[in-house]
Amino acid sequence: MISFLPSDEERAFVEVATQFARERLRDHARNAEKARTPGDDVISAAHELGLLSLEIPESLAGAELPLISQVQVLEALAFGDLGIVQGLPGLCDSASVMRVLPEPARLELADGAAQRIPWIHLAPGEVAVIVERSGFRLEGVAFPRRAVLGADQLLVSFVAPGGEAILAWLDRTAAQWSEDAGDVRLGLLAAHIGRIGFEGTVVRPEDVLVRGDDAERVLKAAQARVAVLEAAKCVGAMRASLEYAVEYTSQRKAFGQEIPKFQGVSFTVADMAIETEAARNLVWLAAHAVDSRGEGAMQDAARALAYALRSGRFVTNQGVQMLGGAGYLQEYPAEKWMRDVQAQAVLYGRELDWFERAGARALGLEEKEGVLV
């Protein structure tokens, strides 16, 4: 029997994160969106509370918390504002790669856990990979990723011609790449989302961290962890939308009676609550599975993220609908939560893609045309 009851330490940490989310993140959300960055004050406060090094290994001065603890903290933070959370340094996807690297101490971080480093995992065909004497040359523009704009270092992984997996560490002092913020109209505007342009970028032999079977194991383990962490953030945004919808509708009347007494409202709110709790349970179950089995729990992680993305879109959209026409006004936070979750789905794959991956694993198809699934 699995118990998800939090320990006293977890409960205390979650309370700190919840207070920080309510008092700092929620109030600062609109300013961060306009400025396209979380802001130095928020970043410094989060760093002092130890909220930026949850996933980073102890060898790199991180907290190295188990996933079951991290998902509780990240849910609490995203309850404040998902956009700011996705822009905080130290909470990048690269932290999960660092966590599972055989020798993470090989990485040279300029500012420890407070650094914003993107992980660019290139799908086959996304960018051309050309083998040269000097290493691998990358040509093309990658899909949008968060934490890209302004980054001086990045982790890049790809499948080389011949099917060998490569994971490398690039620094601007030795490699060059371009950035493009692109057309930003959706959400997560404080997350430094952009596209990396590889224009003859050379990955030298000394830049390679792991390759071959070792790289595949690292990448699969990191992907499982990222899926669970991103799903937990979706749950936080869902909780925020649900709570706000309940509070808003309970204070208003129509045709002489309270809005929640109408079945169309009460049934919708009930569906929102059910979807939120189901997503949370799947995330916690996946976190426990990944903590226990590592890369072997990728199916659990994929299922959790797929469900969280689908349910997150439903819950935040209904949260806007519960406010009527006011739901689309920026005076209320509901429309921002909806946009942020939609952007989250764009960044981390449509839910159908994750269901397809989970199904492929269930059928024993762990690799498909050279794609790590």
Side-chain angles (χ1 to χ4, degrees), residues 151 178 204-205 211 232-233 291 293 297 310 314 320 327-328 353:
S178 61
R204 304 168 303 172
R211 62 193 306 166
K233 297 172 187 176
D291 277 339
R293 307 200 308 272
R310 184 178 68 177
F314 167 77
V320 171
Y328 293 95
D353 294 337

Side-chain angles (χ1 to χ4, degrees), residues 4 20 24 64 83 87 91 95 99 105 118 121 130 134 144 153 168 183 201-202 215 226 261 274 283 304 316 367 373:
F4 289 138
F20 179 71
R24 298 295 298 272
E64 199 172 337
L91 300 184
R99 178 69 174 266
H121 178 59
I130 304 168
S134 56
Q153 298 171 315
D183 185 10
T201 304
V202 176
V226 168
K261 292 184 178 180
I274 290 171
V283 169
T316 55
E367 290 191 8
V373 298

Side-chain angles (χ1 to χ4, degrees), residues 86-94 115-120 144-154 177 179 188 190-196 347-348:
Q86 292 295 57
L88 290 174
L91 300 184
C92 301
D93 297 342
S94 57
Q115 191 169 205
R116 185 159 39 83
I117 304 170
W119 172 28
I120 312 296
R145 303 307 203 284
R146 68 186 181 94
V148 162
L149 302 180
D152 292 323
Q153 298 171 315
L154 61 86
W177 61 84
E179 307 167 359
L188 301 180
H192 304 279
I193 297 174
R195 295 162 64 103
I196 289 286
L347 284 179
Y348 290 96

Side-chain angles (χ1 to χ4, degrees), residues 171-186:
D171 191 290
R172 280 195 185 277
T173 58
Q176 296 296 320
W177 61 84
S178 61
E179 307 167 359
D180 180 18
D183 185 10
V184 180
R185 299 184 185 180
L186 196 56

